Amino acid sequence: MNLSKRILSALIVVTTLSPFANAAEVEVDKIEAVVNKELILSSDMTSMKRDLIKRYQESGQSLPDVENLDKQVLDKLISDRLQLQIAERIGLRINDAQVDQTIAEIAKNQGTDVAGLRADLAASGINYKQFVSNIRDELTINEVRQIQVRRRISISDQEVEQVINRINQAGDAQTELRFAHILLKVAEDASPEAKQAADEKAEKLATQIKNGADIQALAKANSEGPKAQEGGDWGWRKLDDMPSLFVEELSENNTKGQVVGPFHTRLGVHIIQILDKKGGQNVMTEEVKSRHILIKPSIILSEEKTQALLANLRQQILDGSKTFEELAKQYSQDPSSAVRGGDLGWADPNVYVPEFRDIAQSQAIGEISQPFQTTHGWHILQVLDKRESDTTESATKQKAYNLIYRQRFPAEAYAWLNELRQEAYIKIVNPDYIIEE
């Protein structure tokens, strides 16, 4: 609400009450602060103070004194208004589906459903419409903060690698591998023909192992290494207790069954297979190969018409009159996938927004989903294939990135909000509420 509307609202309250001024003294909704062109009223502070007191009580914390509590409330209201103004400026809006999902999660966490939550709120004297509005504002503030602060945080590949090394070193200290080994000896001064023959034999053995042959049987028959008679089995070894010849080839990221090599050292050509692993944590992920058609509602195309259009496109595909690829190229508003007939390629479903992720994980291969809504618009989705993939390396990289990001986020968010305050027009009416920067 802009300044003129808020002032008009305050004047209406005064005008309405004036005929009864002699009969009873009524408190007028006062202006507590001005934030750019918006007013913060006493009623705003009263509402937020009630919520804040409830949170303190639920967490078991003692309440600050009244003066400090009022300052906290006004400070948060000012910060919230500034961030909501940024959201309005960039056109950010949280849709009803996100709000409904959040409210459902709140109800679930409180051991009830949405109807039960509404009843509890009513019993506490909390207006449900205002509760929903507050949830939407909180989601908006969180989203706009993430968007704005993310732009301020720059993380280099070198920084990520340094953190990955620390993570791996911590993991390496606990990881143990049991592996079998084949060595084909080749003298350093051997002829090119002898070296080529060893390479060809090693490639043949590695292929056999990858195709399911028993490496221990092959080691007994072919290896010239120190453990040949034991089937090349080196037993359990920690990574810092590996033979120096293997140090550069084996790591915490190796997985059970993996074939390493052939690789060369001064002794000859080596092949290793990881027989087992313990102590390390490999991340196995079910990836999906999918395609979708996205249509975004607009002033011309309502939510209902968007959903109906996608239902019609789905039926055309099922009838065989059109292919998914044809319709995606013609209708989809996801430019990066539309040119590929809606194809999203292989991906971990967790990279998608929750609603899309859930459909991608639960949908049977080949089936086309009913139209469903996400923050991006309305979709139909077809899962083309699924597979299990070892994503340990990419998961470790993402973990390193997230660690750095989380470390930097609070300071950058604080700096960003301070800059918003410095650039804004803020007037606090009550001198007792002046907030020291």
Side-chain angles (χ1 to χ4, degrees), residues 47 52 57 59 64 114-115 151 186 190 193 207 255 286 292-293 303 314 321 333 383-384 407:
S47 176
L52 194 60
Q57 291 172 339
S59 64
V114 175
R151 296 171 180 171
V186 181
E193 292 79 12
T207 300
T255 58
E286 183 183 65
H292 78 136
I293 297 174
E303 301 273 358
R314 178 178 182 272
S321 57
Q333 292 175 293
V383 174
L384 301 173
Q407 288 169 352

Side-chain angles (χ1 to χ4, degrees), residues 367-417:
E367 189 178 342
I368 301 173
S369 74
Q370 294 290 341
F372 64 95
Q373 188 180 30
T374 73
T375 56
H376 302 296
W378 284 84
H379 313 251
I380 54 172
L381 167 71
Q382 183 179 36
V383 174
L384 301 173
D385 204 356
K386 296 183 180 182
R387 69 183 182 189
E388 283 283 327
S389 294
D390 180 5
T391 56
T392 304
E393 187 174 347
S394 60
T396 303
K397 186 173 183 178
Q398 188 61 48
K399 180 179 179 182
Y401 182 92
N402 290 342
L403 282 171
I404 299 170
Y405 183 83
R406 286 198 300 270
Q407 288 169 352
R408 295 187 182 174
F409 186 88
E412 287 296 337
Y414 180 80
W416 172 67
L417 198 51

Side-chain angles (χ1 to χ4, degrees), residues 348-379:
D348 176 355
N350 290 301
V351 304
Y352 301 129
V353 294
E355 302 87 353
F356 199 99
R357 174 202 64 204
D358 294 344
I359 297 293
Q361 289 176 331
S362 61
Q363 198 79 6
I365 294 173
E367 189 178 342
I368 301 173
S369 74
Q370 294 290 341
F372 64 95
Q373 188 180 30
T374 73
T375 56
H376 302 296
W378 284 84
H379 313 251

Side-chain angles (χ1 to χ4, degrees), residues 36-308:
N36 291 323
K37 294 183 178 181
E38 282 195 84
L39 301 180
I40 294 176
L41 303 175
S42 298
S43 57
D44 298 323
M45 291 191 63
T46 300
S47 176
M48 179 167 282
K49 192 188 297 186
R50 182 181 62 241
D51 294 342
L52 194 60
I53 289 172
K54 186 179 179 183
R55 291 183 188 182
Y56 270 109
Q57 291 172 339
E58 288 175 349
S59 64
Q61 294 177 298
S62 58
L63 286 167
D65 58 69
V66 175
E67 182 184 355
N68 287 332
L69 180 61
D70 287 339
K71 284 186 177 182
Q72 283 185 21
V73 169
L74 185 57
D75 187 42
K76 182 168 181 2
L77 281 168
I78 291 171
S79 296
D80 288 356
R81 291 290 167 82
L82 288 170
Q83 292 171 91
L84 289 169
Q85 288 168 9
I86 293 293
E88 186 176 1
R89 192 183 309 160
I90 65 175
L92 174 66
R93 175 168 171 76
I94 302 298
N95 63 35
D96 292 341
Q98 289 173 278
V99 176
D100 292 344
Q101 183 180 10
T102 302
I103 293 173
E105 288 174 1
I106 292 171
K108 183 179 179 181
N109 291 336
Q110 295 184 5
T112 185
D113 56 15
V114 175
L117 178 64
R118 292 189 70 158
D120 292 342
L121 292 171
S124 301
I126 299 174
N127 181 278
Y128 185 72
K129 286 186 178 179
Q130 186 59 49
F131 173 77
V132 172
S133 178
N134 290 342
I135 293 295
R136 191 186 300 276
D137 283 350
E138 287 188 25
L139 291 173
T140 303
I141 289 166
N142 182 64
E143 185 68 20
V144 76
R145 187 189 297 125
Q146 291 287 342
I147 291 170
Q148 298 296 318
V149 176
R150 190 180 294 120
R151 296 171 180 171
R152 300 168 62 100
I153 298 176
S154 177
I155 301 174
S156 68
D157 291 341
Q158 183 179 3
E159 290 173 309
V160 173
E161 284 301 321
Q162 288 173 348
V163 175
I164 288 174
N165 289 337
R166 291 203 298 271
I167 292 172
N168 286 340
Q169 285 168 10
D172 288 350
Q174 304 298 324
T175 301
E176 291 185 69
L177 300 176
R178 179 174 168 240
F179 62 95
H181 165 245
I182 294 175
L183 167 63
L184 303 180
K185 287 186 177 179
V186 181
E188 292 185 89
D189 58 353
S191 66
E193 292 79 12
K195 291 180 179 178
Q196 182 179 351
D199 286 344
E200 289 175 355
K201 183 176 181 180
E203 289 290 349
K204 183 178 178 181
L205 290 171
T207 300
Q208 288 178 302
I209 297 165
K210 289 175 183 177
N211 289 336
D214 183 358
I215 186 174
Q216 292 179 295
L218 292 176
K220 287 180 180 179
N222 298 278
S223 181
E224 300 172 272
K227 304 286 185 180
Q229 294 309 307
E230 292 86 14
D233 190 348
W234 281 76
W236 287 102
R237 295 285 182 122
K238 287 189 175 181
L239 292 174
D240 57 4
D241 190 33
M242 293 286 179
S244 58
L245 294 173
F246 306 154
V247 167
E248 293 184 2
E249 304 298 329
L250 300 178
S251 75
E252 194 243 357
N253 292 328
N254 291 128
T255 58
K256 182 178 178 179
Q258 181 181 354
V259 176
V260 181
F263 61 93
H264 296 81
T265 71
R266 57 184 174 80
L267 296 181
V269 190
H270 306 257
I271 304 166
I272 289 174
Q273 185 178 36
I274 309 300
L275 301 177
D276 208 348
K277 178 180 180 178
K278 62 184 178 181
Q281 292 185 343
N282 279 77
V283 180
M284 300 302 294
T285 303
E286 183 183 65
E287 294 183 318
V288 297
K289 189 175 191 298
S290 60
R291 57 186 177 186
H292 78 136
I293 297 174
L294 166 67
I295 299 179
K296 302 177 182 180
S298 64
I299 297 174
I300 300 172
L301 195 64
S302 67
E303 301 273 358
E304 293 76 15
K305 289 182 178 178
T306 302
Q307 186 178 4

